[in-house]
């Protein structure tokens, strides 16, 4: 199977997952918040296709709504760290000197700690909530985009066409928007696509630890957390949310790998 065909298939699968998350309210068979104490821990049946949880809520409906929650936070967070990281990287690469030293030493300090450990520490101090999780992940994830952008900007600045544009009187803003960003966009796009699965896993992990999305809001990570006590008696509480995370992460990983290889070949 060619890489182009793989990218087409994985793009279609990724688009399908996103579409399902958007239309979740219209296709969910039940209210994801409604409890049915007559059907607590019910096995999959006609009314509840994937069974119910410990308070009688429909697992399928919660997974569908959870897709919306998980992917919305993932894309919003990636947009935030992408813009902030690229901006910092451009400033660092263009200015150089003491500005570059300060920003990169700050990035080095953040990178000295494992991502998830630092985020747990930040959220643990600030308190468990979605907003604090977003702040914690934002404070950690910007570094990779900042460093990648800085290196790319410094390489691009040495190109002849950039030097010619500068000599012709082009401003720094015009140099960045017309010459440098188009030149480094490929590397940034590849990194962004590759990070979708990583960000989704980070959000699910934080929610699983009770530091992210809080119950009763349906989210795959906190669904795993709620179901872990019932692993032996009601394994579907863990199986289906786990499969949702696995499939989504696998699809976006394959998409990222395919996009990286195709863009690398086109650049070569």
């Amino acid at each position: 199977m060619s890489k182009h065909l793989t990218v087409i298939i994985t793009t279609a699968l990724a688009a399908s997952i996103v579409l399902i998350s958007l239309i979740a309210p219209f296709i969910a068979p039940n209210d994801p918040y409604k409890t049915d104490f007559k059907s607590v821990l019910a096995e999959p049946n006609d009314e509840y296709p994937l069974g119910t949880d410990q308070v009688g809520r429909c697992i399928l409906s919660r997974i569908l709504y959870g897709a919306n929650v998980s992917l919305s936070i993932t894309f919003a967070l990636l947009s935030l760290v992408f813009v902030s990281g690229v901006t910092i990287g451009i400033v660092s690469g263009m200015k150089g000197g003491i500005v570059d030293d300060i920003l990169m030493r700050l990035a080095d300090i953040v990178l000295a700690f494992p991502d998830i450990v630092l985020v747990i520490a930040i959220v643990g101090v600030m308190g468990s909530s979605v907003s604090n999780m977003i702040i914690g992940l934002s404070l950690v994830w910007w570094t990779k985009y900042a460093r990648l952008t800085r290196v790319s900007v410094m390489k691009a600045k040495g190109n002849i066409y950039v030097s010619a544009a500068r000599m012709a009187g082009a401003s720094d803003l015009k140099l960045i928007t017309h010459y440098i960003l188009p030149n480094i966009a490929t590397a940034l796009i590849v990194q962004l696509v590759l990070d979708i699965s990583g960000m989704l896993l980070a959000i699910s992990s934080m929610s699983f630890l009770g530091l992210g999305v809080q119950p009763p809001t349906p989210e795959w990570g906190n669904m795993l957390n709620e179901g872990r006590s019932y692993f032996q008696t009601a394994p579907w509480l863990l199986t289906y949310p786990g499969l949702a995370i696995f499939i989504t992460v696998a699809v976006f990983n394959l998409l990222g790998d395919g996009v990286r290889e195709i863009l690398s070949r086109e650049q070569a």
Side-chain angles (χ1 to χ4, degrees), residues 73-246:
I73 297 175
T74 296
F75 292 138
L77 253 173
L78 276 178
S79 300
L80 178 61
V81 298
F82 180 81
V83 172
S84 59
V86 170
T87 301
I88 292 171
I90 289 174
V91 171
S92 182
M94 292 295 292
K95 293 296 183 182
I98 189 171
V99 173
D100 180 35
D101 288 339
I102 292 173
L103 292 175
M104 289 303 102
R105 295 302 76 74
L106 179 60
D108 289 340
I109 292 172
V110 175
L111 289 169
F113 299 91
D115 287 358
I116 196 68
V117 173
L118 185 55
V119 176
I120 290 173
I122 293 171
V123 178
V125 171
M126 298 178 65
S128 302
S129 69
V130 176
S131 58
N132 289 341
M133 177 187 68
I134 291 174
I135 292 172
L137 287 168
S138 300
L139 291 174
V140 172
W141 275 61
W142 65 270
T143 53
K144 63 175 67 179
Y145 292 102
R147 293 181 70 87
L148 176 61
T149 304
R150 172 185 175 268
V151 171
S152 301
V153 167
M154 295 184 76
K155 287 181 179 179
K157 281 199 309 181
N159 291 332
I160 295 175
Y161 61 85
V162 175
S163 301
R166 188 184 296 277
M167 292 176 63
S171 64
D172 284 349
L173 180 61
K174 186 173 182 179
L175 287 175
I176 293 168
T177 57
H178 287 69
Y179 301 99
I180 295 178
L181 275 181
N183 190 45
I184 68 175
T186 297
L188 294 174
I189 291 171
V190 169
Q191 186 63 55
L192 183 63
V193 176
L194 287 170
D195 278 345
I196 294 175
S197 56
M199 182 64 81
L200 177 63
L201 277 176
I203 292 168
S204 297
S205 298
M206 294 298 293
S207 297
F208 177 78
L209 295 172
L211 299 173
V213 180
Q214 301 296 309
T217 303
E219 194 277 335
W220 295 338
N222 68 32
M223 289 178 69
L224 288 175
N225 183 37
E226 289 181 327
R228 61 194 174 92
S229 301
Y230 303 91
F231 176 67
Q232 293 184 330
T233 56
W236 55 88
L237 269 67
L238 286 170
T239 302
Y240 297 120
L243 278 175
I245 294 173
F246 172 77

Side-chain angles (χ1 to χ4, degrees), residues 61-73:
S61 299
R62 291 182 65 76
I63 287 176
L64 293 173
Y65 274 78
N68 185 288
V69 173
S70 297
L71 291 177
S72 295
I73 297 175

Side-chain angles (χ1 to χ4, degrees), residues 244-255:
I245 294 173
F246 172 77
I247 292 171
T248 305
V249 168
V251 167
F252 281 105
N253 268 337
L254 290 171
L255 177 61

